[in-house]
Amino acid sequence: MWKGLLHQYKDCLPISDKTPMLSLHEGNTPLIYLSKLSEKLQIELYVKTEGTNPTGSFKDRGMVMAVAKAKEAGSDTVICASTGNTSAAAAAYAARANMKCIIIIPDGKIAFGKLAQAVMYGADIYAIQGNFDQALTMVRSISEKLPITLVNSVNPYRIEGQKTAAFEVCEQLGKAPDILAIPVGNAGNITAYWKGFQEYNDHHGTGLLRMFGYQAEGSAAIVRGVPIENPETVATAIRIGNPASWEKAVAAKEQSNGKIDEVTDQEILAAYQLIAREEGVFAEPASCASIAGIIKHRKLGLIKEGATVVAVLTGNGLKDPNIAIDVSEIKPLVLPNDEKAVLEQLKGVAAL
Ligand code: F0G
């Protein structure tokens, strides 16, 4: 039986006899082949659906490790800034580990599902009238002044946990793909995957790949080469103007002969709808920056025909129900509670 990442990858993680073997059975997420989009783009396209993790995003991989190490060190409270997913994962694992969790979020800028999770897991939630970058600066400083453990991805244990996704991709494919496409926000995850692929190659000789990271156009600090003071994008998860792991993301790109580029909100939302309708895969908007990026780079010829590409779908579509409803033209048609009336209506649909 799958027991979660700390059990599964014990030998590759910083686990000692004293580390609590915390688990919500995270990891082991599906790698799904997208047949229609593969054919359309003339590549072999897979998605790593991280939205199937216990709190619905990849953050569980890093959080299980970071919270376990905080507990091992005797801490009783964790703190993070978040655009939503980190806070959901921190609150869940803190609850599991009998710890307190403090969350600082940008007021009005986190998706509804994520807020619902933090509330349910019992975190202390503070919404500041500022953005994620300002919230992160604040918690970094506060964690030095108070006896609480910072669990944003600047905590190296987060990166350790998150690198396991690269191990899984290699195990599922039987090799490293040619390209990994990944959304970039605070740039922790691209850092973690690159570390994971390198370590896996060192142990198993699977070969290396190219890392393609995608930022949202209104938050594309790395692409522009300057921090963005007021980042904007419909993909609130990656609405970040000064990524904490900026240099590490650039190193991953350079060492892997990869790319970091931007995609527009329009491209993100088109990809978001495309994979749901064509492939039955519902991921939150930020996740779909990876698909939007692949489509863009395939058109530009930067991704070659026949390449094996894995896109990381970082979060579950249900995290952000409001955007789904807003972008969709499909609205429920209200009918009387009368089988005949419903049947009449359906005849028209069935005949189409
Ligand atoms: N996709 C989703 C769904 C995210 O929630 C995030 C980051 C990213 C991509 C980007 O990952 O920061 O490692 O480059 N969310 C953070 C949060 C910032 O607070 O939940 P990254």
Side-chain angles (χ1 to χ4, degrees), residues 169-336:
V169 168
C170 293
E171 283 159 9
Q172 288 165 315
L173 271 183
K175 59 173 185 178
D178 297 319
I179 291 171
L180 185 95
I182 185 167
V184 174
N186 213 22
N189 212 24
I190 190 171
T191 304
Y193 268 87
W194 180 233
K195 186 169 200 283
F197 282 121
Q198 287 175 296
E199 285 183 15
Y200 203 84
N201 180 47
D202 290 345
H203 287 105
H204 304 276
T206 33
L208 284 170
L209 75 175
R210 302 177 70 195
M211 302 288 293
F212 280 36
Y214 298 103
Q215 298 188 292
E217 186 187 35
S219 313
I222 301 177
V223 179
R224 305 289 162 83
V226 282
I228 292 170
E229 208 173 317
N230 296 307
E232 269 312 335
T233 168
V234 67
T236 52
I238 52 171
R239 187 173 169 272
I240 295 173
N242 192 10
S245 297
W246 186 317
E247 286 86 18
K248 289 181 182 140
V250 171
K253 176 199 83 167
E254 282 173 1
Q255 290 165 16
S256 75
N257 187 26
K259 279 255 169 273
I260 295 182
D261 201 356
E262 61 190 357
V263 285
T264 65
D265 278 4
Q266 216 181 355
E267 289 168 324
I268 289 172
L269 292 178
Y272 172 63
Q273 289 171 289
L274 180 73
I275 59 167
R277 290 198 181 182
E278 298 268 317
E279 305 280 2
V281 176
F282 185 26
E284 70 170 287
S287 303
C288 300
S290 59
I291 301 288
I294 291 166
I295 294 171
K296 176 178 174 179
H297 281 171
R298 180 73 189 108
K299 273 188 198 144
L300 291 173
L302 291 170
I303 297 175
K304 298 274 175 274
E305 185 176 336
T308 300
V309 182
V310 170
V312 185
L313 295 182
T314 45
N316 195 302
L318 290 171
K319 291 270 192 178
D320 200 343
N322 300 70
I323 299 228
I325 299 290
D326 286 352
V327 301
S328 182
E329 310 96 59
I330 299 175
K331 307 282 176 222
L333 182 64
V334 181
L335 296 173

Side-chain angles (χ1 to χ4, degrees), residues 57-59 81-87 114 132 152-153 158 162 183-190 237-238 240 284 286-287 314-315:
S57 88
F58 72 96
K59 304 286 182 179
S82 184
T83 56
N85 282 325
T86 298
S87 59
K114 303 174 189 180
F132 169 84
N152 279 105
S153 59
R158 282 278 312 277
Q162 283 172 217
V184 174
N186 213 22
N189 212 24
I190 190 171
I238 52 171
I240 295 173
E284 70 170 287
S287 303
T314 45

